[in-house]
């Protein structure tokens, strides 16, 4: 299971992947937070920016992991007949 505590304090989403340069061999993207803060630069090599888009979705993915962990905890309590 992923330890989500190590992400405490991350810049909140949404993040956006924006293509800033296109060439024959690579596309360059930047990842920006919703408040316009530049998070990182990234060069996608012929993958249509999929890696940059995945990076931009990191806050959404983290929130989903946390939601699912909470649901799993509730289900385990129910299966074990513990109160919650």
């Amino acid at each position: 299971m992923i330890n989500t505590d190590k992400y405490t304090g991350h810049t909140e989403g949404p993040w956006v992947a924006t293509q800033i340069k296109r060439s024959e061999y690579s596309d360059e993207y930047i990842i920006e937070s919703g408040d316009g803060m530049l998070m990182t630069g990234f060069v996608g090599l012929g993958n249509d920016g999929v890696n940059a888009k995945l990076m931009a979705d990191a806050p959404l993915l983290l929130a989903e992991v946390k939601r699912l962990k909470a649901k799993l905890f509730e289900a385990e309590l129910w299966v074990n007949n513990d109160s919650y």
Side-chain angles (χ1 to χ4, degrees):
M1 182 109 19
I2 295 174
N3 177 7
T4 57
D5 292 341
K6 65 184 177 183
Y7 305 119
T8 300
H10 73 85
T11 301
E12 296 294 324
W15 295 356
V16 178
T18 305
Q19 186 179 41
I20 59 172
K21 182 180 175 185
R22 183 168 181 81
S23 73
E24 184 177 350
Y25 302 105
S26 67
D27 299 333
E28 189 172 351
Y29 290 82
I30 57 171
I31 311 299
E32 295 177 277
S33 67
D35 61 5
M37 185 176 112
L38 177 64
M39 299 297 295
T40 186
F42 185 79
V43 177
L45 301 174
N47 62 12
D48 294 327
V50 173
N51 290 336
K53 293 171 188 172
L54 178 62
M55 292 169 65
D57 280 345
L60 297 172
L61 296 168
L62 178 59
E64 183 65 3
V65 167
K66 288 180 177 181
R67 186 188 73 80
L68 292 171
K69 282 176 69 173
K71 290 293 184 186
L72 181 59
F73 178 74
E74 290 175 12
E76 287 174 345
L77 289 176
W78 184 82
V79 166
N80 294 324
N81 290 318
D82 292 335
S83 61
Y84 58 97

